[in-house]
Amino acid sequence: MADSSSRRLQSLKVTLTGYGVWHGIPPPELEEFHLFSLPAAVIKPSVSGRKILPLAVLEETHTRTVRSCAWSPNGKLLATASFDATTAIWENIGGDYECVSTLEGHENEIKSVSWNASGSLLATCSRDRTVWIWEVFPGNEYECVSVLQGHTQDVKMVQWHPTMDLLFSCSYDNTVKVWAGDDDNDDWHCVQTLDESNNGHSSTVWTLSFNPTGNKMVTCSDDLTLKIWESNETRLHSGGGYSPWRHTCTLSGYHDRTIFSVHWSRNGIIASGAADDSIRLFVENQEKVIDGPSFQLLFKKEKAHNMDVNSVQWSPGEERLLGSSSDDGTIRIWELIPNS
C-alpha cells in the first residue's frame, strides 16, 4: 500500500499569469513540458524547470475563446478548438506556428478536440450535441466522415482510446458514450453508453482519462465523484469484438464542488482538479483486490489555485510534473516529490 504521507506536490514557481485558462496539455513523446493557455499560446518551462517561456502566441485565427487543444501523436501539429465553432490546425514551420487548416461545420461552441493514436483521425465535439470525426489526408486536408448524434445535451469532451480506434465522449446529459467504426472507418455507431443504469454518473460528466495500458478509465463529474471503469484487456486487443466497459470503483468525498478535470499518469497516479480550488492525487491500492480494484488518496493540495481548477495534466516524460490551469488566470507546474 502506498503511504499517502510519503509524497507531496511542490510548486516549481513557474506560474504564468494574465490568461483565462481552460486547458493545458503537453505534446506526446516529447520531454519538454509544453502547455497551452488562453488566449492561444504555446509555452514551456526552461530546462531548469524554474522559468516559463512563451514559444508562440497563436492569434488572428479564432475570434472567440479557445477551449481545448490537442497535439498530434508525432507532436508536429496542434489542433485548437474554439467557441467560434471552428477548429484550427497549426504547424511549426521554420520556427513559427502557422494555421494550415481550419475545420468548420459545428453550429455552436466546440468544447474539445482529440487525435487518434495514429494521427489519421481527429474528433471534435460541441454544444450543438454532436461529435464530428474528421479523416486526415496529405497536404493538411481534412474531411468529415461522420457526424454522431447520440447525446441529448452539450458534449463536454472527446477522447480516443490510446491504442485503438474507439472514441469516447462525455456530456451534460450525464453519460459517457463509446463509438466504433467499421473496418473502413466510414460508418460510426455507439457501442456502449455508460450511465446511471450501469453505475455511471448522476450529473454532468466533464472529462475522462485512460491508464497507460488502456484497459482502465477514470471519469469525473458534477456529482462530485470519480469513477473507475475497466475493460477486458485480452479481448480488447485480440480483435475478438468489442469488450464492454464495467464500473469497478467510485471515489467520493474528496472534492466538495464540481470535478472538472482528471488525468492518469504513465506512473499510475490519477490527478483531479475541481471547483473547490484543489488538486487531489490517487493511486491504486494493490493490497485490496478481493472485491476488485480500489484507490486511495495519495496527496491533497488545498488552494492549489485561487479559483476553480479547470484542468490538470501530467507530463509525458519521466519526471513527475503536473500542470494545472485555473479561472484565476494562472498556469502552475508542480513536481511530485518524496517527503524529506
Side-chain angles (χ1 to χ4, degrees), residues 13 62-63 66 68 73 94 96 109 126 130 139 149 166 181 192 194 199 212-213 227 251 253 255 293 323-324 327:
K13 306 300 184 184
H62 292 299
T63 58
V66 179
S68 175
D96 294 323
E109 297 99 321
S126 169
T130 66
Q149 302 184 20
L166 288 174
Q192 188 177 9
L194 308 179
N199 297 311
T213 60
K227 289 182 179 288
L251 304 177
H255 290 284
S324 61
D327 277 352

Side-chain angles (χ1 to χ4, degrees), residues 72-145:
S72 61
N74 61 12
K76 294 182 179 179
L77 298 175
L78 176 68
T80 57
S82 171
F83 279 6
D84 65 11
T86 71
T87 299
I89 310 297
W90 305 82
E91 184 176 2
N92 189 332
I93 301 176
D96 294 323
Y97 284 86
E98 298 182 12
C99 181
V100 294
S101 188
T102 301
L103 313 183
E104 300 179 343
H106 282 289
E107 297 177 2
N108 300 106
E109 297 99 321
I110 300 178
K111 298 297 183 70
S112 178
V113 60
S114 178
W115 302 84
N116 72 339
S118 66
S120 62
L121 297 171
L122 188 73
T124 56
C125 66
S126 169
R127 184 183 173 188
D128 65 14
R129 307 178 185 181
T130 66
V131 173
W132 289 42
I133 297 178
W134 308 79
E135 188 170 358
V136 182
F137 293 96
N140 291 311
E141 296 292 330
Y142 296 78
E143 178 185 344
C144 179
V145 295

Side-chain angles (χ1 to χ4, degrees), residues 27 44 54 87 170 219 231 254 257 259 277-279 283 286 296:
K44 72 170 185 177
T87 299
C170 46
T219 56
S231 182
Y254 295 102
R257 294 188 64 190
I259 307 173
D277 312 338
S278 73
I279 293 172
V283 291
Q286 301 296 334
Q296 68 180 61

Side-chain angles (χ1 to χ4, degrees), residues 16-25 35-43 56-59 62 64-70 78-84 90 110-111 113 310-311 324-331:
L16 179 72
T17 60
Y19 295 85
V21 184
W22 252 104
H23 195 204
I25 185 169
L35 286 167
F36 188 82
S37 63
L38 312 178
V42 181
I43 60 177
V57 178
L58 314 182
E59 298 178 307
H62 292 299
R64 294 184 62 192
T65 297
V66 179
R67 175 61 179 270
S68 175
C69 64
L78 176 68
T80 57
S82 171
F83 279 6
D84 65 11
W90 305 82
I110 300 178
K111 298 297 183 70
V113 60
N310 294 323
S311 177
S324 61
S325 57
S326 169
D327 277 352
D328 65 12
T330 68
I331 292 173

Side-chain angles (χ1 to χ4, degrees), residues 311-323:
S311 177
V312 288
Q313 193 85 22
W314 291 101
S315 166
E318 292 299 329
E319 291 186 279
R320 295 188 177 186
L321 298 180
L322 179 72

Side-chain angles (χ1 to χ4, degrees), residues 6 10 13 17 56 61 89 95 110 121 140 144 150 185 200 210 237-238 247 273 331 337:
S6 64
Q10 172 179 282
K13 306 300 184 184
T17 60
T61 294
I89 310 297
I110 300 178
L121 297 171
N140 291 311
C144 179
N185 283 333
F210 295 95
H237 296 284
S238 67
H247 170 266
I331 292 173
I337 61 174

Side-chain angles (χ1 to χ4, degrees), residues 157-234:
M157 184 189 190
V158 283
Q159 182 68 52
W160 291 94
H161 186 272
T163 62
M164 306 179 64
D165 282 345
L166 288 174
L167 181 64
F168 294 70
S169 58
C170 46
S171 170
Y172 189 74
D173 65 12
N174 310 345
T175 71
V176 175
K177 288 187 178 292
V178 189
W179 310 86
D182 58 17
D183 292 338
D184 298 324
N185 283 333
D186 290 330
D187 182 22
W188 289 79
H189 58 282
C190 179
V191 293
Q192 188 177 9
T193 298
L194 308 179
D195 56 20
E196 282 193 275
S197 69
N198 46 25
N199 297 311
H201 292 287
S202 60
S203 190
T204 302
V205 186
W206 280 92
T207 57
L208 60 89
S209 181
F210 295 95
N211 70 339
T213 60
N215 69 314
K216 293 180 182 178
M217 174 178 67
V218 58
T219 56
C220 66
S221 170
D222 190 51
D223 66 12
L224 312 186
T225 71
L226 293 89
K227 289 182 179 288
I228 308 296
W229 307 82
E230 189 169 1
S231 182
N232 185 302
E233 188 172 11
T234 301

